[in-house]
Amino acid sequence: MKLPCFLRALVNRFKKFAQPVKPKYGKNELKDYIDNLITLNAKVAPDGTLLLVNETAASYLHKRPDELVGQKIWDTPWWNYDPQVIRQLQHAVQRAASGQTVYYEAKNLIGQDKYIYIDFTLNPVLNENNEILYLVAEGRDITERKLMEQDLMSANQELVAINEELVAIEEELRNSNEEIYRAHQKLYHILETITDAFIALNHNWEINYVNSEAEKLLSIKKAEVIGSNLWQLFPQLVDTFFYKRLHRVQAEQVNAHFDFYYLPGAKWFNIHAYPSPDGIFIYFHDVTPYKQAQEKLYQQNQYLTSLHETALALMNRLDPDELLAAIAARAASLLGTEHGWIYLANTDRSAIVLRLGIGIYKKYTGFRLQTGEGLSGKVWQTGKPLIVDDYSTWPGRSLKFDCPDVRGAVAVPLKTGQEVIGVIGIGFVEKTKKMRTEHLNLLTGFAQLASIALDNARLYNAAQQELAERRRMEEILLHMAYHDALTDLPNRSLFNDRLAVAIAQAARHKKMLAVIFLDLDYFKVVNDTLGHDMGDLLLKGIAHRLTSLLRQGDTIARIGGDEFTILLNDINRPADASRVAQKIIDNLQEPWVIGNHEFHITTSIGIAIYPTDGRDVETLVKNADAAMYHAKEAGRNNFQFYTPAMNDKSLQRLELENNLRRALERDEFVVYYQPQVEIATGKIIGAEALVRWQHPHLGMIPPGQFIPVAEDTGLIIAIGEKVLRMACTQNKAWQDGGLPPIRVAVNLSPRQFLQQNFVDKVAQILKDTGMSPRWLELEITESLAMKDVELTEKTLLELRRMGITIAIDDFGTGYSSLSYLKRLPIDTIKIDRSFVWDLSTDPDDTSIVSTIIILAHNLKMKVVAEGVETQEQLNILRQQHCDGLQGYLFSGPLPPDELARLLAGDTGINITH
């Protein structure tokens, strides 16, 4: 029969399996291995750099620790033998650096074709702000265990196969029972001698086996638990992290490695779980001492870090109260509370005074304690620290100190040498908070720092104050060198420096930038009329408004009296600069109220773009300046982009300005007079004096070409006075010549009108020329009248008292308020020619003119229409009951002798039909 042969073969196979397995190491070596399961340690930076390696770990590679420090952990020979191993480690470092604890088993190369298996753990170490300080890498050599597990798995598989075969041939294998028993004994011996606790579970979570280490760690007896359901035996483990990880091992047939806090035994276990054919194998060992040491190390690091940070903070504290607040706040924070105090002895040492309180102690600041009174009084008296677990029931508490919320408290003395100068303390409101030695040690460290800081405060404060004053003066001088003293904006030097840097960056990155040159319109009038103090206040306000309109990276500078430059960095298109310019124009037009004065101001803006309009500082600023002057020539209150033609215009303007000064010296200005006619009678009732420039080479220059330059340069004041004097002199000459007396109207420029001594100058001219004030009419524009209503009203009232007639010119083009208009002593309103031109074709203009006339008549004012050129315009004005007209329908501006002839023959012009 073949059966005996088969049985012999099976027995031989079983005998081979049942032979004792020779351990890879002897007994002593195995003990050393087990004792050093977690001796491979390293300190790793969050980016994977090795900061510290212990001797044991380095010895596996036959290297010194310092040869490995500074390398990335995955670049060391342990890991760099396989790209997949490197990627796995890099991913683990990233997870640990994000705050997770990472476990997995790794296979490491320690020599040529020589590997070990390690149980690898990465733990993040955090500071008090939960920020990663470093990672702790821990490795336990589990090579022997892995080999044992492989042997066990193989043995288990063969046993299963043998048992199945032995069912049919049980009788024939009775002789093999002894070998089988020895194999089980060997397996039992292995499981009982390893230092890891071991539990074997079947698929129904029933316990098949526990070793003696597991009995000890779990406080169970093997005989009582074999066959029991794990979750029924330990119901407190259901739905825990441990429960979920084991179910995942069984469901997904994956290994698991994790730490778990076993609450019934108050122990931390490091657990390895592996799927087996029968269920699950669980290896675990007690890591409670390690966890406690780790926690203690963490707390110690926090303590030392906090002390270090506090010491650094104290170096910059000059004010004692600020210093004490920093100490108390840091001590309370580290101890996990918000409540603390610092008492200091008073001058005569008769009591200690609560100098600083935080949390619930803040309201007790200034509270006094006598020697031996309360917790702090006793610490002050004895000079020794004191801990109270429950202050509310403590018999030594002060009856004056009513703070029922305080539970635990700890206080330590503040000393200078042997002298107690105060007490620092921390309080807790939690009932369950237990005071520990750590609290006392921590607060003692803070007390030492506080004592040192207070002892040196006077000298330190004096030295720091002297140094701070010196630095302050240096900073002030440096700031003054590069900033405008009035507005605190950058000055021309700093602006040019920043522009040079911006140009270099724009050239490097092929970007665009803009230089904006801004000049305030008629600002000199403000200085001349309201004084320089008021002008300075206005400049400060303008600087504030401009700054608020710009981006943080842009620069605004004051480079002259009323001139500002702006650097716009990194713009995408010129339109970006135009938007900023328009925003500035719109914003500055808002009313300004300074003191009792309300007025309006406008600005003219020029823009130069890099690189099209210049590639250096000087060219860009010069071209932006030229564009600004072009904006003034275009009527002010607008912006203009630079064009090459502007340089020619700038030269022409400079030449015109020089010629204007010479014209004043050479009396080249002449006055023409345009008659004003009464519509009802056709008689000449007045004439408007209009200045002309009789240039010796260029001939007659109209005012539109030179008046804007005269206003910008301030020459308009001298020209205006000259025109006023010539008009008064001429009118007196006409009257002395027997001509019918008429009223001469003279336009006033803003700068001329807003002079502080303007009324006196008018009176002096009338006195010098001998002309009666009743025959003088002074015209101001509507916008000028509204610029500073208070000043306008005051000036016009003084002129009216002299007998001078007041007219508002160009009415309808400004933004005057009826309430303001009613306050002003106005005799005549002159309707702007823009409303008269289309009077016969535009119903809107007719309505506007009708409204102005009705308004003026209701306010007892006369109305004169300017620019009347057609009979149709006259007919409409007559229908609307307009009082007078001025325009080419009757006469243009005339030289004095021609107007005299017209006056001599004036019997009334037939304009009644």
Side-chain angles (χ1 to χ4, degrees):
M1 292 179 62
K2 294 184 178 181
L3 182 59
C5 296
F6 167 74
L7 289 175
R8 283 194 299 272
L10 185 60
V11 169
N12 290 336
R13 180 180 174 189
F14 182 78
K15 286 181 178 180
K16 181 181 178 181
F17 164 74
Q19 287 177 357
V21 179
K22 292 183 180 179
K24 195 170 183 179
Y25 301 95
K27 276 189 177 179
N28 293 334
E29 291 175 313
L30 181 58
K31 182 178 185 304
D32 290 341
Y33 159 71
I34 294 172
D35 288 339
N36 292 289
L37 278 174
I38 54 171
T39 56
L40 280 69
N41 293 307
K43 181 178 178 182
V44 185
D47 64 353
T49 303
L50 284 170
L51 303 177
L52 184 67
V53 180
N54 71 347
E55 291 284 347
T56 304
S59 66
Y60 275 82
L61 297 175
H62 307 291
K63 292 181 179 290
R64 298 189 310 275
D66 58 351
E67 293 179 278
L68 300 171
V69 171
Q71 297 185 40
K72 299 293 184 185
I73 187 170
W74 48 76
D75 291 334
T76 60
W78 287 315
W79 310 90
N80 65 4
Y81 69 94
D82 187 341
Q84 183 175 355
V85 172
I86 292 175
R87 286 192 298 270
Q88 184 182 22
L89 179 59
Q90 289 174 337
H91 179 65
V93 171
Q94 289 176 359
R95 288 175 55 202
S98 68
Q100 303 180 50
T101 298
V102 181
Y103 306 93
Y104 69 98
E105 293 182 357
K107 181 180 179 182
N108 291 107
L109 179 67
I110 61 171
Q112 187 171 2
D113 297 328
K114 185 177 181 182
Y115 297 87
I116 64 170
Y117 291 91
I118 65 169
D119 182 2
F120 186 70
T121 305
L122 276 173
N123 283 304
V125 177
L126 312 179
N127 62 14
E128 60 183 356
N129 296 323
N130 288 329
E131 298 171 338
I132 304 299
L133 294 176
Y134 54 84
L135 311 178
V136 174
E138 303 170 359
R140 297 173 59 247
D141 189 342
I142 58 171
T143 305
E144 186 66 22
R145 195 186 76 195
K146 291 295 288 187
L147 295 176
M148 290 180 182
E149 289 173 0
Q150 293 172 8
D151 289 344
L152 288 174
M153 292 293 292
S154 298
N156 188 60
Q157 290 173 357
E158 291 196 24
L159 282 173
V160 170
I162 291 172
N163 283 331
E164 290 177 351
E165 294 178 12
L166 288 179
V167 170
I169 55 172
E170 181 178 358
E171 187 64 26
E172 287 81 354
L173 291 179
R174 288 178 181 175
N175 294 329
S176 302
N177 285 340
E178 186 176 349
E179 285 86 351
I180 294 174
Y181 173 77
R182 284 198 296 269
H184 279 286
Q185 285 295 102
K186 180 61 178 178
L187 179 60
Y188 175 82
H189 177 73
I190 292 173
L191 293 175
E192 292 297 326
T193 56
I194 62 174
T195 57
D196 281 5
F198 174 79
I199 297 178
L201 302 173
N202 63 21
H203 292 296
N204 296 321
W205 303 105
E206 294 170 342
I207 300 174
N208 289 340
Y209 178 80
V210 295
N211 69 355
S212 57
E213 184 67 16
E215 289 182 281
K216 182 175 68 175
L217 291 181
L218 299 179
S219 300
I220 59 177
K221 293 187 179 299
K222 183 185 303 185
E224 297 175 355
V225 300
I226 296 298
S228 299
N229 183 279
L230 178 67
W231 310 125
Q232 294 176 355
L233 187 64
F234 299 101
Q236 65 271 32
L237 296 180
V238 176
D239 291 332
T240 63
F241 178 71
F242 174 81
Y243 178 90
K244 295 174 183 178
R245 289 301 298 270
L246 287 193
H247 275 78
R248 183 184 172 193
V249 170
Q250 179 166 311
E252 301 180 12
Q253 292 294 293
V254 294
N255 299 342
H257 180 199
F258 56 94
D259 287 347
F260 179 72
Y261 184 70
Y262 180 58
L263 187 60
K267 291 183 175 64
W268 277 98
F269 292 147
N270 181 255
I271 300 172
H272 291 262
Y274 306 94
S276 73
D278 293 332
I280 297 177
F281 290 161
I282 304 173
Y283 298 87
F284 58 99
H285 59 276
D286 186 2
V287 292
T288 304
Y290 169 74
K291 285 287 187 179
Q292 292 173 340
Q294 190 180 46
E295 177 64 21
K296 188 173 182 180
L297 178 62
Y298 172 74
Q299 292 178 351
Q300 185 70 13
N301 285 338
Q302 277 198 315
Y303 168 62
L304 295 175
T305 300
S306 182
L307 287 182
H308 177 67
E309 291 175 351
T310 301
L312 293 178
L314 296 184
M315 295 174 62
N316 299 320
R317 304 290 182 180
L318 302 178
D319 180 70
D321 289 333
E322 183 182 353
L323 181 146
L324 294 174
I327 294 173
R330 287 175 180 271
S333 175
L334 191 58
L335 286 173
T337 182
E338 300 176 351
H339 316 289
W341 71 87
I342 294 180
Y343 281 91
L344 292 181
N346 59 8
T347 306
D348 60 3
R349 297 186 59 78
S350 61
I352 53 174
V353 181
L354 186 63
R355 282 287 303 275
L356 179 100
I358 60 174
I360 60 177
Y361 295 98
K362 187 174 183 179
K363 60 183 178 182
Y364 298 103
T365 301
F367 186 79
R368 290 173 173 265
L369 289 174
Q370 304 300 318
T371 303
E373 183 181 7
L375 175 60
S376 295
K378 283 184 170 52
V379 172
W380 181 39
Q381 180 183 46
T382 64
K384 296 179 181 180
L386 189 58
I387 293 178
V388 174
D389 288 328
D390 189 350
Y391 188 81
S392 63
T393 59
W394 184 53
R397 63 191 179 95
S398 171
L399 297 178
K400 295 187 299 182
F401 186 76
D402 184 19
C403 193
D405 295 331
V406 178
R407 297 296 176 178
V410 55
V412 298
L414 298 172
K415 293 184 178 181
T416 297
Q418 296 301 315
E419 182 182 9
V420 180
I421 62 172
V423 177
I424 181 173
I426 297 298
F428 299 89
V429 297
E430 300 89 345
K431 293 183 179 180
T432 58
K433 190 74 174 183
K434 300 296 292 182
M435 299 293 97
R436 301 194 307 270
T437 305
E438 290 83 352
H439 296 115
L440 187 62
N441 294 337
L442 177 62
L443 199 56
T444 300
F446 274 90
Q448 292 172 352
L449 289 176
S451 299
I452 294 171
L454 291 170
D455 194 33
N456 295 326
R458 181 181 59 81
L459 295 176
Y460 179 80
N461 191 41
Q464 288 297 312
Q465 285 181 342
E466 180 181 351
L467 180 60
E469 180 64 19
R470 185 182 306 166
R471 288 175 177 169
R472 189 180 69 85
M473 293 305 300
E474 291 174 354
E475 291 173 356
I476 289 174
L477 292 175
L478 182 63
H479 188 83
M480 290 173 61
Y482 288 99
H483 289 81
D484 174 54
L486 176 63
T487 63
D488 204 37
L489 294 176
N491 59 15
R492 187 188 299 270
S493 297
L494 182 54
F495 180 83
N496 289 346
D497 287 346
R498 291 185 180 178
L499 179 55
V501 172
I503 289 173
Q505 292 176 343
R508 186 180 306 113
H509 301 293
K510 301 188 184 307
K511 296 286 187 179
M512 186 183 297
L513 61 82
V515 173
I516 294 179
F517 201 107
L518 181 152
D519 184 88
L520 303 178
D521 298 330
Y522 305 116
F523 177 75
K524 189 175 186 303
V525 174
V526 178
N527 276 342
D528 293 343
T529 55
L530 303 180
H532 287 279
D533 290 342
M534 197 66 71
D536 289 348
L537 289 175
L538 177 60
L539 285 172
K540 289 181 180 180
I542 289 172
H544 178 73
R545 280 197 191 181
L546 292 176
T547 302
S548 68
L549 296 174
L550 301 179
R551 301 172 300 180
Q552 188 173 4
D554 298 332
T555 297
I556 176 172
R558 182 185 177 217
I559 63 172
D562 60 349
E563 293 180 334
F564 297 84
T565 51
I566 297 173
L567 167 61
L568 300 179
N569 273 308
D570 193 16
I571 62 174
N572 296 319
R573 58 189 68 84
D576 294 340
S578 65
R579 280 195 294 271
V580 174
Q582 188 59 53
K583 190 191 303 182
I584 291 172
I585 290 172
D586 294 341
N587 188 276
L588 292 188
Q589 285 184 136
E590 295 293 325
W592 292 88
V593 179
I594 300 179
N596 294 325
H597 300 278
E598 178 178 336
F599 47 87
H600 298 262
I601 197 160
T602 60
T603 182
S604 299
I605 295 176
I607 304 173
I609 303 296
Y610 172 89
T612 56
D613 300 332
R615 294 177 176 270
D616 58 75
V617 172
E618 182 180 359
T619 303
L620 283 171
V621 174
K622 181 189 72 174
N623 290 343
D625 188 17
M628 181 272 295
Y629 277 111
H630 188 67
K632 286 190 176 293
E633 293 172 358
R636 292 181 169 78
N637 200 29
N638 69 93
F639 65 86
Q640 298 289 330
F641 282 94
Y642 168 78
T643 62
M646 289 180 182
N647 284 332
D648 295 335
K649 290 184 179 180
S650 296
L651 293 175
Q652 293 172 6
R653 186 184 183 281
L654 180 61
E655 184 178 358
L656 181 62
E657 181 181 336
N658 293 331
N659 288 337
L660 267 178
R661 297 183 188 278
R662 286 193 290 269
L664 278 169
E665 297 170 359
R666 298 172 183 174
D667 291 329
E668 296 176 359
F669 294 104
V670 296
V671 178
Y672 278 40
Y673 301 88
Q674 187 173 27
Q676 296 175 345
V677 178
E678 188 176 43
I679 294 179
T681 63
K683 287 184 174 296
I684 298 175
I685 57 174
E688 181 177 358
L690 301 170
V691 67
R692 299 290 187 268
W693 180 7
Q694 185 65 53
H695 193 278
H697 304 297
L698 302 177
M700 191 69 72
I701 301 177
Q705 293 186 18
F706 66 86
I707 290 298
V709 177
E711 289 177 341
D712 290 341
T713 59
L715 294 174
I716 193 66
I717 295 176
I719 295 174
E721 290 180 11
K722 192 173 192 67
V723 171
L724 179 59
R725 184 175 293 276
M726 292 171 68
C728 291
T729 300
Q730 183 62 63
N731 199 14
K732 184 65 169 65
W734 285 331
Q735 294 174 13
D736 292 345
L739 295 175
I742 62 171
R743 186 177 288 115
V744 174
V746 179
N747 284 291
L748 299 177
S749 72
R751 285 194 172 187
Q752 184 182 8
F753 177 76
L754 295 174
Q755 294 179 98
Q756 291 180 341
N757 60 346
F758 171 68
V759 175
D760 295 334
K761 287 186 176 183
V762 173
Q764 186 62 46
I765 289 174
L766 288 173
K767 180 179 178 182
D768 293 344
T769 60
M771 192 185 84
S772 172
R774 64 179 294 197
W775 302 115
L776 175 62
E777 182 175 81
L778 295 179
E779 296 183 2
I780 63 173
T781 63
E782 183 183 5
S783 58
L784 172 57
M786 293 299 105
K787 187 174 291 291
D788 187 341
V789 177
E790 300 291 338
L791 179 63
T792 300
E793 181 181 15
K794 176 178 177 294
T795 303
L796 294 183
L797 283 173
E798 292 180 10
L799 294 171
R800 171 69 81 77
R801 292 190 192 102
M802 293 169 56
I804 298 171
T805 303
I806 307 299
I808 295 292
D809 194 19
D810 300 335
F811 188 81
T813 61
Y815 302 93
S816 58
S817 166
L818 290 179
S819 61
Y820 287 148
L821 193 63
K822 187 170 65 174
R823 288 170 49 185
L824 301 178
I826 300 168
D827 299 288
T828 304
I829 285 180
K830 299 183 72 174
I831 300 176
D832 187 70
R833 65 183 69 247
S834 63
F835 298 110
V836 176
W837 285 339
D838 298 326
L839 199 56
S840 60
T841 59
D842 190 339
D844 291 338
D845 283 345
T846 304
S847 298
I848 292 172
V849 169
S850 175
T851 302
I852 293 173
I853 294 172
I854 293 172
L855 170 66
H857 287 168
N858 288 337
L859 295 175
K860 304 298 187 292
M861 301 175 188
K862 297 290 185 181
V863 181
V864 175
E866 296 182 293
V868 180
E869 299 179 358
T870 68
Q871 188 65 40
E872 290 83 356
Q873 295 169 347
L874 173 60
N875 293 338
I876 295 174
L877 291 169
R878 182 186 293 112
Q879 293 172 5
Q880 301 299 330
H881 304 291
C882 184
D883 299 296
L885 66 84
Q886 178 180 335
Y888 279 88
L889 177 63
F890 176 67
S891 173
L894 301 173
D897 54 345
E898 291 187 22
L899 182 59
R901 287 194 292 272
L902 193 60
L903 288 172
D906 182 23
T907 59
I909 299 173
N910 185 13
I911 60 173
T912 59
H913 301 290

